[in-house]
Amino acid sequence: MMSSNISLPNEICYKIISYMDVPDLYNCLTVNSVWCRFILPFLWEKLVFKTLPEFQTFSKALQTFKNAENYCMHSRKLNLSYVSNFVTDGHLSLLSGARNLLRINLSGCTRLTDDMISSILLNNLDILVLDLSGIPKLSTKTMLDALPKLKKLKALSLSRCALLDDSQLKETLVQCKHLKKLKLNDCTSLTEKSLQTLSEYGDLIELDISGCRNMKDPSVLIKALMKQKNLKELNMSGCFYLTDFMDYYTSPSKFCSLRSLNLTGLSELSDNHVLKLCECFPRLQTLYLTKCIQLTDTALAGISNLKTYLTSLHLGHCYEVTDLGIISVLKSCKNLAYVDFGGCFRLTDSSVAEIAKLPRLQRVGLVKCIFLTDISIIHLSNCSSKFLERIHLSYCTGLTPKSISYLMLNCKNLKHLSVTGISSILCTELRAFSRPIPKEINPSQVPIFCAFTREEIDLFRNYINQKII
């Protein structure tokens, strides 16, 4: 490349650098001041640190490079979420010269103070995308002094910000008139007053209020939905008190814009609720009803009316649904690519036979479907879809090693297969090809863990081919 003793035209130096990967650029920062001078401009525009060594090297270079503040003006993106456990006010102060940041992600940076976060926001008032999720100590300094001043803000995440209250959110919604995406999941201090604010201000396309368990008035939610007419994604999982929201909708008009609805964990959700929401949201593409334990085949009859719009359906732990309801949905919704029926223990091979007919199937979840036999695996092995890549069969205790081997050999695009907890498989040579046990796995699952990624599946195929030869 270049050295301090060889003088090359700047254009040639920049051309050489443009062929280098980002990790290599970080490694070269500390070679000498000449290299640093050419490399820093390339790194400044998008400050995304995916590893701690990258972040440490860059921080060290900033501390020793005299013109660092000049390069701050070129920065457009700052993402510290990958190194959130290590970022302090001292690190962020090195970027105090930044004035043109458009995207900031400080998710999980719990060591930063409110004052420092507020300072960097007030220095970059043209921010379009901001993620402050997982910083529970954020308070008035940021919520009232900084956020409302970001007039161009389009996407905001304040997930798990425990101190965020209704008045602070209202001030932001009133001032940030261009806001389109808002994530408030697990902001437990918010109440239905925030829903009332949403019924008066904003034009959102994405809204996440999951885990906001102190929102207790479903009638106000309906008012908010009627205001947010362009809403495409709504996540209200865990909002137990809002379960009856469809009971308050009396208008004959429909919400044709909504594409994704997440009602996970609303255990009191009834068949009638689902029938009405499928009628009011006729173009849903993704529907989460996981752990809605009161649902029966009657609800599935309503889901069938979504027809070709529906591409992803999650019914995990809906214990009362049977083959009859599942088959009805599968025959009507031909474009399903992702189905999760884990824990629907009444299902049999008949449902899987219908699943295997889906022409665009990519992922299927059948965990704890205890009545499935090897016939189900034969159906999946001969699936109509060329895109099937993930299959979850853990705790399907009726399966045998022979059928699983057949599946691994015949599903050519398979990238993930989980068969944890199937004793007949754990004691065979298949276990030897299982992927390494993940660090985050529940300790009780360690002795029975068995899953395969694309690499392990290929190893198994090669092993079988060599045995045949």
Side-chain angles (χ1 to χ4, degrees):
M1 194 180 159
M2 60 265 185
S3 73
S4 55
N5 298 320
I6 300 177
S7 179
L8 293 176
N10 288 351
E11 292 80 5
I12 294 178
C13 293
Y14 285 127
K15 188 67 174 178
I16 294 172
I17 291 172
S18 68
Y19 288 107
M20 298 176 66
D21 294 330
V22 170
D24 293 330
L25 290 175
Y26 281 116
N27 291 333
C28 293
L29 269 178
T30 54
V31 172
N32 57 43
S33 61
V34 177
W35 285 44
C36 192
R37 178 166 57 86
F38 282 105
I39 292 173
L40 271 176
F42 277 85
L43 298 177
W44 269 109
E45 185 175 0
K46 295 182 180 180
L47 300 176
V48 180
F49 307 99
K50 292 192 174 182
T51 67
L52 181 58
E54 283 182 6
F55 179 61
Q56 292 173 328
T57 302
F58 191 76
S59 297
K60 183 178 179 181
L62 289 187
Q63 293 170 340
T64 57
F65 192 60
K66 295 181 180 179
N67 296 319
E69 285 196 11
N70 295 334
Y71 286 116
C72 281
M73 305 302 293
H74 300 287
S75 302
R76 298 292 182 269
K77 180 177 181 179
L78 173 64
N79 187 343
L80 298 176
S81 62
Y82 298 102
V83 291
S84 58
N85 291 336
F86 307 95
V87 179
T88 65
D89 283 3
H91 295 121
L92 208 55
S93 65
L94 296 173
L95 306 174
S96 59
R99 294 292 186 275
N100 298 300
L101 288 170
L102 300 177
R103 294 171 174 266
I104 298 180
N105 187 341
L106 301 178
S107 175
C109 295
T110 55
R111 298 175 68 181
L112 295 178
T113 65
D114 212 21
D115 286 343
M116 178 53 67
I117 293 173
S118 178
S119 174
I120 196 167
L121 297 185
L122 291 173
N123 285 340
N124 295 273
L125 296 179
D126 290 334
I127 298 171
L128 300 176
V129 180
L130 176 62
D131 190 340
L132 299 176
S133 58
I135 309 179
K137 295 182 180 179
L138 284 182
S139 58
T140 302
K141 186 72 175 178
T142 296
M143 301 299 187
L144 285 181
D145 293 354
L147 286 182
K149 293 182 173 63
L150 307 180
K151 306 292 187 181
K152 297 182 180 181
L153 197 62
K154 292 185 177 181
L156 173 63
S157 177
L158 296 172
S159 305
R160 306 184 302 285
C161 292
L163 298 180
L164 174 66
D165 63 30
D166 297 319
S167 60
Q168 295 166 349
L169 179 63
K170 181 175 182 177
E171 187 65 22
T172 298
L173 289 172
V174 169
Q175 299 298 329
C176 302
K177 300 182 185 302
H178 300 287
L179 196 62
K180 296 297 181 182
K181 300 180 181 182
L182 180 60
K183 291 187 177 182
L184 303 171
N185 50 293
D186 299 308
C187 291
T188 52
S189 295
L190 298 181
T191 71
E192 54 270 15
K193 290 182 180 179
S194 288
L195 292 178
Q196 183 62 42
T197 300
L198 286 167
S199 71
E200 299 169 357
Y201 303 97
D203 183 19
L204 300 176
I205 61 173
E206 292 182 18
L207 174 62
D208 187 345
I209 56 172
S210 60
C212 295
R213 57 180 180 270
N214 286 313
M215 293 182 176
K216 299 181 178 181
D217 191 341
S219 65
V220 184
L221 174 61
I222 284 296
K223 293 178 182 178
L225 293 179
M226 294 182 72
K227 165 63 177 176
Q228 310 296 333
K229 294 181 179 180
N230 295 315
L231 195 65
K232 292 185 178 181
E233 296 185 20
L234 173 62
N235 186 345
M236 46 181 286
S237 64
C239 295
F240 312 110
Y241 295 106
L242 302 180
T243 297
D244 300 335
F245 73 105
M246 291 309 302
D247 291 342
Y248 296 87
Y249 186 67
T250 57
S251 172
S253 60
K254 299 180 179 181
F255 297 98
C256 292
S257 62
L258 199 69
R259 295 293 185 269
S260 177
L261 179 61
N262 192 333
L263 303 176
T264 295
L266 302 191
S267 57
E268 298 299 317
L269 197 73
S270 69
D271 290 340
N272 288 335
H273 291 140
V274 175
L275 290 174
K276 192 167 184 178
L277 69 86
C278 288
E279 181 181 348
C280 293
F281 308 128
R283 297 187 180 180
L284 280 176
Q285 296 175 353
T286 301
L287 180 58
Y288 289 85
L289 296 171
T290 304
K291 296 183 180 180
C292 297
I293 58 177
Q294 293 193 24
L295 301 185
T296 70
D297 290 344
T298 301
L300 270 60
I303 295 174
S304 298
N305 293 329
L306 298 175
K307 298 183 179 179
T308 55
Y309 288 107
L310 194 64
T311 59
S312 183
L313 177 60
H314 303 257
L315 292 173
H317 304 285
C318 292
Y319 308 121
E320 299 299 323
V321 302
T322 69
D323 286 335
L324 184 64
I326 295 296
I327 291 173
S328 171
V329 170
L330 296 173
K331 285 186 175 180
S332 178
C333 304
K334 294 292 188 181
N335 288 330
L336 279 168
Y338 189 0
V339 294
D340 182 7
F341 303 138
C344 299
F345 63 84
R346 298 176 187 271
L347 301 192
T348 70
D349 297 331
S350 299
S351 289
V352 181
E354 205 63 39
I355 291 173
K357 295 177 183 178
L358 294 171
R360 300 183 180 180
L361 185 66
Q362 296 178 28
R363 302 184 178 189
V364 56
L366 295 166
V367 174
K368 294 185 179 179
C369 292
I370 57 176
F371 291 121
L372 301 188
T373 71
D374 287 348
I375 294 175
S376 289
I377 306 306
I378 301 303
H379 287 309
L380 291 175
S381 299
N382 300 313
C383 181
S384 300
S385 173
K386 298 178 181 179
F387 313 106
L388 183 57
E389 60 181 25
R390 295 181 70 89
I391 304 176
H392 299 269
L393 298 168
S394 295
Y395 303 99
C396 293
T397 53
L399 305 181
T400 68
K402 187 174 182 179
S403 66
I404 297 300
S405 299
Y406 185 80
L407 179 65
M408 293 171 70
L409 290 170
N410 286 276
C411 279
K412 303 301 183 184
N413 294 317
L414 199 59
K415 295 180 180 179
H416 180 88
L417 173 65
S418 60
V419 289
T420 293
I422 305 178
S423 57
S424 62
I425 294 172
L426 296 175
C427 60
T428 66
E429 62 182 6
L430 269 173
R431 181 74 180 275
F433 294 93
S434 174
R435 58 169 288 201
I437 298 175
K439 294 181 180 179
E440 66 276 9
I441 195 171
N442 188 317
S444 64
Q445 291 183 311
V446 171
I448 56 175
F449 177 81
C450 191
F452 310 92
T453 62
R454 182 64 176 265
E455 183 178 358
E456 283 81 35
I457 293 171
D458 287 341
L459 286 173
F460 176 75
R461 287 177 183 148
N462 292 335
Y463 170 74
I464 295 298
N465 289 334
Q466 289 175 359
K467 288 185 68 174
I468 294 174
I469 293 173

